[in-house]
Amino acid sequence: MSTITNNKLDLETVGHLINGKTTHHDGPHLDIYNPAKGEVSKYLEIASEHTLNEAIISAQKAFPAWRDLPVIKRARIMFRFKELLEKNKDKICQLIGEEHGKIPHDAMGELQRGIENVEYACTAPEVLKGEYSKNVGPSIDCWSEFQPLGIVAGITPFNFPAMIPLWMYPLAIVCGNCFILKPSERDPSSTLFIAGLLYEAGLPNGVLSVVNGDKDLVNLLLEDKRIEAISFVGSTPIAKHIYTKATANGKRCQALGGAKNHAIVMPDADIDNTVTQLMGAAFGSSGERCMALSVAVVVGDEIGDILISKMKKAMEALKVGAYTDNTNDFGPLITQEHKHKVSSYIDSAENQGATIEVDGRNIVVKGCEGGYFIGGTLIDNVTADMTSYKEEIFGPVLQIIRVKSMEAAMQLIDDHMYGNGTCIFTRDGEAARYFSDNIKVGMVGINIPLPVPVSYHSFGGWKQSLFGDLFAYGPDGVRFYTRRKTITQRWPSTNLREGKQFSFAESASYATSEK
């Protein structure tokens, strides 16, 4: 993306959402592209420090009343928000398609996952009830409350402009916080539209702000002392930077990074089902998702040959094109730069000795010749020392590694720097249980290629795929956006019960026993 200085075309300019209103400020802009055409479609305002300060001040003003609003009333706003998301799903998916390039069925799946997180936020009266113990000592009760942090912020990536923000702010807000969202500068329109729906549902002004910008805005968020916590999803190098800088500035931080998700294909796997599952998991959403299944580790050459043959046949039917045609299987990559990056990984695999079985580098989509398309790509004979194996490709590329045993396959996965998701295809329950018990990865599937947890569990990886102690959304999300306060209470007797009063000696005895 390039900064615009002069000669802007007559296109829409995307601003910010602050204090419940869409705002525009003079300043630099970025181009927003239609990736299917390779053309500028809109402009994006870049927030200044003044813009961010305006958002933070509005949150500070809103927080006391929002924190004190009964949780059931906060939940009712989320119920109305859910209804509005469902009512406006076609509009939201159109906005995603225009700026991300995602095919409607993928966009609809993304939105549905986001809606499920709003549904979980509706359970706030239950998940925020706290804990209570009566008579922990003579006439002494003890309980824990889960109180909001204050102002928290989220930094979200381009690949899920609807879903990942909905991982964050509905739960943070229903827990009583105010939230500042910095979405991706590449496809912000659906994110802004959805945030507007939350205000339509009755959210008080200032509780949610959406501020657009680039890395300079990210650094301002990380440095501002008024922001208590940061949630981030993106690449591992940036996640590590975010976590390091946020925690150094005294903030709570969860930073989700990259992935290299493996599927072990055992000799007894249902191969036709495996092929079907791999097709969607490897190529859906153009492979631009941190749960994309990018490596199939086949145990034995015989099953490897069969898998390659069947995958090549299935990939002949893959249809790639613009989001406007729902019969397409997937769309373009997000930018020209990313297209070149994905192509370079395919080049490097070929140069290092791998076999390109299906090559998507030279695909041309009729009517979209300027688009950022790469077709489904299948690479065999990949080894662990190849660059394309070590790094996250983030494109529609499936690599095949051949090993002799399940133990070798698991060792390969455990040795990789990423530990986001993995799965095994097998009919053997003993093998599946051993795999799930022992593999060093955060999310595991058994004959499920994309083991993304439902909204009432939590999402996160191990190793270099997550920085921080708590996963995203679900129960961990509640704990991340609240802080525990434990209260121990005693009311002295006033001689109402047999004239007995709790004595100083008894109080001292209780305190001593606790130490």
Side-chain angles (χ1 to χ4, degrees), residues 236 255 257-258 260 262 410-420 439-442 460-468:
T236 284
K260 196 72 174 183
H262 302 69
M410 290 180 63
Q411 190 64 54
L412 192 74
I413 297 169
D414 287 346
D415 287 345
H416 203 283
M417 65 180 285
Y418 294 124
N420 212 43
I439 201 70
K440 296 175 182 176
V441 174
W462 289 10
K463 297 182 282 190
Q464 296 288 301
S465 292
L466 173 70
F467 299 88

Side-chain angles (χ1 to χ4, degrees), residues 228-240:
E228 299 285 346
I230 296 281
S231 297
F232 172 82
V233 178
S235 68
T236 284
I238 299 177
K240 191 172 184 178

Side-chain angles (χ1 to χ4, degrees), residues 43-359:
Y43 302 123
L44 178 71
E45 291 185 0
I46 299 302
S48 64
E49 187 171 359
H50 171 78
T51 309
L52 176 60
N53 191 54
E54 185 180 337
I56 293 174
I57 290 172
S58 72
Q60 287 178 312
K61 291 178 179 177
F63 176 64
W66 180 248
R67 174 197 58 203
D68 294 338
L69 189 71
V71 65
I72 188 63
K73 293 186 177 183
R74 299 198 299 256
R76 286 171 186 156
I77 292 172
M78 291 300 160
F79 275 109
R80 292 193 290 270
F81 182 41
K82 171 187 178 294
E83 292 174 352
L84 288 170
L85 287 169
E86 292 169 339
K87 181 180 178 181
N88 290 275
K89 61 183 180 181
D90 291 336
K91 173 65 173 177
I92 294 168
C93 291
Q94 178 187 344
L95 290 170
I96 294 171
E98 288 172 352
E99 295 179 0
H100 177 280
K102 196 170 289 188
I103 304 302
H105 54 77
D106 271 337
M108 197 66 72
E110 168 187 351
L111 179 59
Q112 181 56 39
R113 278 289 189 165
I115 290 172
E116 290 169 8
N117 282 276
V118 177
E119 290 172 339
Y120 183 75
C122 292
T123 71
E126 173 67 24
V127 300
L128 291 174
K129 280 196 305 188
E131 303 158 352
Y132 193 94
S133 295
K134 187 176 178 65
N135 287 333
V136 297
S139 300
I140 297 174
D141 301 332
C142 184
W143 70 91
S144 292
E145 300 175 354
F146 299 101
Q147 298 186 350
L149 303 177
I151 303 173
V152 298
I155 303 163
T156 56
F158 73 84
N159 57 325
F160 287 100
M163 183 185 74
I164 293 181
L166 292 175
W167 282 6
M168 297 180 184
Y169 66 75
L171 194 54
I173 285 171
V174 85
C175 286
N177 299 284
C178 293
F179 199 97
I180 296 174
L181 175 66
K182 187 275 175 196
S184 171
E185 63 272 25
R186 295 169 181 170
D187 49 3
S189 294
S190 63
T191 312
L192 272 166
F193 180 78
I194 290 171
L197 294 179
L198 185 50
Y199 276 104
E200 188 177 333
L203 190 73
N205 289 346
V207 176
L208 172 66
S209 291
V210 182
V211 184
N212 287 297
D214 53 17
K215 65 181 181 180
D216 292 333
L217 177 59
V218 170
N219 285 327
L220 290 173
L221 289 167
L222 294 173
E223 293 165 1
D224 198 295
K225 300 298 183 184
R226 295 168 291 181
I227 295 173
E228 299 285 346
I230 296 281
S231 297
F232 172 82
V233 178
S235 68
T236 284
I238 299 177
K240 191 172 184 178
H241 167 76
I242 294 283
Y243 181 79
T244 301
K245 191 164 185 176
T247 53
N249 283 305
K251 302 184 193 305
R252 183 178 293 185
C253 185
Q254 57 178 189
L256 283 70
K260 196 72 174 183
N261 304 318
H262 302 69
I264 296 179
V265 183
M266 296 292 288
D268 67 342
D270 178 341
I271 196 65
D272 290 328
N273 175 65
T274 299
V275 168
T276 299
Q277 298 298 318
L278 288 175
M279 290 289 290
F283 307 127
S285 295
S286 306
E288 292 177 318
R289 51 191 180 192
C290 67
M291 289 299 286
L293 226 169
S294 56
V295 181
V297 187
V298 294
V299 180
D301 285 332
E302 182 178 354
I303 193 70
D305 292 341
I306 295 171
L307 180 68
I308 289 286
S309 176
K310 288 182 175 288
M311 284 293 300
K312 289 172 71 174
K313 181 68 175 176
M315 290 174 68
E316 291 175 1
L318 278 178
K319 187 178 178 185
V320 184
Y323 81 95
T324 48
D325 184 352
N326 200 30
T327 66
N328 288 327
D329 292 292
F330 61 89
L333 298 175
I334 188 67
T335 64
Q336 181 79 337
E337 292 80 7
H338 190 55
K339 176 185 175 180
H340 291 324
K341 182 178 180 181
V342 173
S343 293
S344 72
Y345 280 123
I346 302 171
D347 294 342
S348 72
E350 186 173 34
N351 293 336
Q352 291 176 327
T355 306
I356 312 298
E357 297 284 355
V358 180
D359 192 343

Side-chain angles (χ1 to χ4, degrees), residues 16-35:
H16 318 280
L17 183 66
I18 299 175
N19 207 32
K21 301 176 181 65
T22 300
T23 65
H24 292 274
H25 299 119
D26 292 333
H29 295 72
L30 295 178
D31 299 339
I32 300 173
Y33 284 84
N34 175 343

